Amino acid sequence: DAKTTQPNSMESNEEEPVHLPCNHSTISGTDYIHWYRQLPSQGPEYVIHGLTSNVNNRMASLAIAEDRKSSTLILHRATLRDAAVYYCILRGIGGSNYKLTFGKGTLLTVNP
Amino acid sequence: GAVVSQHPSWVICKSGTSVKIECRSLDFQATTMFWYRQFPKQSLMLMATSNEGSKATYEQGVEKDKFLINHASLTLSTLTVTSAHPEDSSFYICSARQDPSTDTQYFGPGTRLTVL
């Protein structure tokens, strides 16, 4: 799987928007961009994924650059419960196992 | 929907004993389940991929005879840590793939294993 680069940590204030960046300059045309987050002492939680177009769901929005070499996860109004490690992962198609390779992610701190 | 459970949530055992961890998909059938291990302050590391009715595929460096994986049904996979030692103490997390077309994995809450 192609590699992603994320900032080690970010800080936000409660009820403000948060933009979490991810660089993936070696992305291939068939790689999907997945975001998961992990709250302390819990298993990861699926957030959102996309291929080329921007995506929205109840949790977040995913903005994908036109050249697909970067993407941004947007939390529209951060809450204290959004404090977690956010992982940006590329997943290609093909193969039967669909493995996810987790990097170090971004530790998001939300200040009250 | 798409809930994955793990049991137990935590376990403490003596060195040399074996520990079994269960992973269940509660509201969907999972043909593929994954087992991860996470050491403190580190990211998740995939240990093995478990396909229902067939042998698990282990990642490089993971001892298949030490970490026994069974996926006997579409809703249950088990991980047995045999002859556990203190260095096996870790956070073990399973995930299940619900829909191959969406490729989304749903994770269990994890099992904290402490080997004394």
Side-chain angles (χ1 to χ4, degrees):
Chain A
D1 291 328
K3 185 177 178 180
T4 62
T5 304
Q6 298 178 253
N8 290 332
S9 62
M10 289 186 66
E11 204 167 320
S12 172
N13 295 321
E14 199 174 8
E15 298 194 3
E16 290 184 356
V18 181
H19 291 235
L20 296 165
C22 181
N23 288 321
H24 28 78
S25 59
T26 60
I27 190 170
S28 73
T30 54
D31 284 340
Y32 282 81
I33 303 161
H34 287 249
W35 283 83
Y36 286 79
R37 71 180 185 181
Q38 186 177 23
L39 279 66
S41 299
Q42 295 187 31
E45 174 186 28
Y46 167 78
V47 178
I48 201 167
H49 78 282
L51 183 62
T52 56
S53 303
N54 294 344
V55 184
N56 300 298
N57 66 20
R58 63 175 180 82
M59 288 182 68
S61 295
L62 176 60
I64 302 173
E66 196 168 333
D67 62 5
R68 298 207 331 124
K69 293 187 177 182
S70 66
S71 61
T72 302
L73 179 70
I74 302 166
L75 307 179
H76 296 285
R77 289 183 64 196
T79 68
L80 297 179
R81 292 181 57 188
D82 291 322
V85 177
Y86 286 79
Y87 298 99
C88 169
I89 303 169
L90 300 184
R91 242 308 291 162
I93 62 172
S96 60
N97 293 323
Y98 297 91
K99 298 188 290 186
L100 294 175
T101 302
F102 285 81
K104 295 184 177 180
T106 297
L107 174 63
L108 175 65
T109 302
V110 180
N111 299 315
Chain B
V3 177
V4 176
S5 70
Q6 281 185 242
H7 177 79
S9 56
W10 59 271
V11 56
I12 301 173
C13 70
K14 293 181 179 180
S15 185
T17 60
S18 295
V19 175
K20 179 185 284 188
I21 302 170
E22 292 185 349
C23 176
R24 294 181 184 272
S25 56
L26 298 184
D27 51 1
F28 66 97
Q29 294 184 330
T31 55
T32 305
M33 289 183 170
F34 304 85
W35 286 96
Y36 298 80
R37 179 168 53 182
Q38 185 175 33
F39 293 107
K41 304 294 185 183
Q42 295 187 24
S43 189
L44 282 78
M45 294 296 296
L46 179 65
M47 299 176 66
T49 302
S50 168
N51 290 300
E52 186 265 339
S54 63
K55 290 184 178 180
T57 302
Y58 291 81
E59 294 300 301
Q60 190 172 10
V62 178
E63 301 176 58
K64 62 179 181 180
D65 293 331
K66 180 171 182 61
F67 299 100
L68 302 179
I69 291 172
N70 183 277
H71 192 163
S73 78
L74 287 171
T75 59
L76 173 64
S77 177
T78 60
L79 168 68
T80 301
V81 183
T82 62
S83 186
H85 291 283
E87 57 266 30
D88 298 323
S89 298
S90 187
F91 194 46
Y92 291 86
I93 307 167
C94 72
S95 72
R97 186 162 64 100
Q98 179 188 24
D99 181 351
S101 66
T102 64
D103 205 17
T104 300
Q105 289 186 26
Y106 294 92
F107 287 80
T111 297
R112 178 77 58 191
L113 171 63
T114 302
V115 185
L116 302 176

